[in-house]
Amino acid sequence: MDQVYRAWACSSGIESWFLEQATYWDSSRQKRKGEELVQSGDSFTWKWHNWDFEEKGEILEANGKDRISFTFGAGGNVHIHLKESQWGIEVELTQDHIPTDEESKLNIFVGCSTGWTFWLTNLKAWLEYGITLHVKGLPQSETQNLVNS
């Protein structure tokens, strides 16, 4: 459980399978260290591989064990709940407060559904086999239509 939680809740964890760079600051604007767990109220800047874009947001919940939630830009909020099952640790991801205009329905509802399917598979590959499946180090022009960039 701790290993899966850390994959979401600290810079070094989330950079290993999802982001190129994740920087977190506590409520007094002190930068958190790579292995330091985030806490509710922390702010962040995330940079994805192969994208010339940074996302700024906030940690909404982080209980240090099995729940973490964060803002996700125009995509609303993301909530991660970890639970033990007979097969191991289950990761339940929900996304809410997504705008309902037609463009958001396509770009966020459909786009995030496809994206999270890949990234959760990537997380599983990293946790279970120590490998990642995403494309790294290519220019955005060559990867912008790929789910795994």
Side-chain angles (χ1 to χ4, degrees), residues 28 56 138:
S28 62
K56 295 183 185 300
L138 295 176

Side-chain angles (χ1 to χ4, degrees), residues 11 83 86 138:
S11 322
K83 47 190 168 182
Q86 67 187 46
L138 295 176

Side-chain angles (χ1 to χ4, degrees), residues 21-147:
Q21 184 176 19
T23 306
Y24 295 97
W25 294 273
D26 66 20
S27 58
S28 62
R29 294 297 295 162
Q30 296 295 311
K31 185 177 175 183
R32 292 204 179 273
K33 294 179 175 74
E35 294 291 323
E36 189 177 359
L37 294 177
V38 298
Q39 296 182 17
S40 298
D42 284 2
S43 57
F44 62 80
T45 301
W46 287 352
K47 182 182 183 314
W48 276 263
H49 294 277
N50 309 320
W51 289 89
D52 187 24
F53 171 75
E54 287 186 342
E55 183 73 58
K56 295 183 185 300
E58 180 183 348
I59 302 298
L60 303 172
E61 177 186 15
N63 71 359
K65 181 184 175 201
D66 61 0
R67 290 186 182 273
I68 185 166
S69 298
F70 48 87
T71 60
F72 203 59
N77 301 324
V78 172
H79 311 279
I80 306 301
H81 178 210
L82 308 178
K83 47 190 168 182
E84 292 189 40
S85 77
Q86 67 187 46
W87 303 283
I89 305 303
E90 291 182 16
V91 178
E92 177 183 281
L93 183 149
T94 56
Q95 190 168 345
D96 61 16
H97 293 93
I98 301 170
T100 56
D101 60 277
E102 291 305 312
E103 184 177 343
S104 295
K105 286 179 184 178
L106 176 63
N107 294 333
I108 298 173
F109 276 91
V110 176
C112 285
S113 174
T114 303
W116 284 124
T117 300
F118 170 77
W119 287 107
L120 290 172
T121 302
N122 201 47
L123 173 61
K124 181 177 175 59
W126 178 73
L127 289 168
E128 293 183 3
Y129 302 102
I131 62 170
T132 58
L133 310 171
H134 59 293
V135 176
K136 299 183 217 175
L138 295 176
Q140 182 178 349
S141 61
E142 294 183 33
T143 61
Q144 69 186 80
N145 293 321
L146 299 176
V147 170

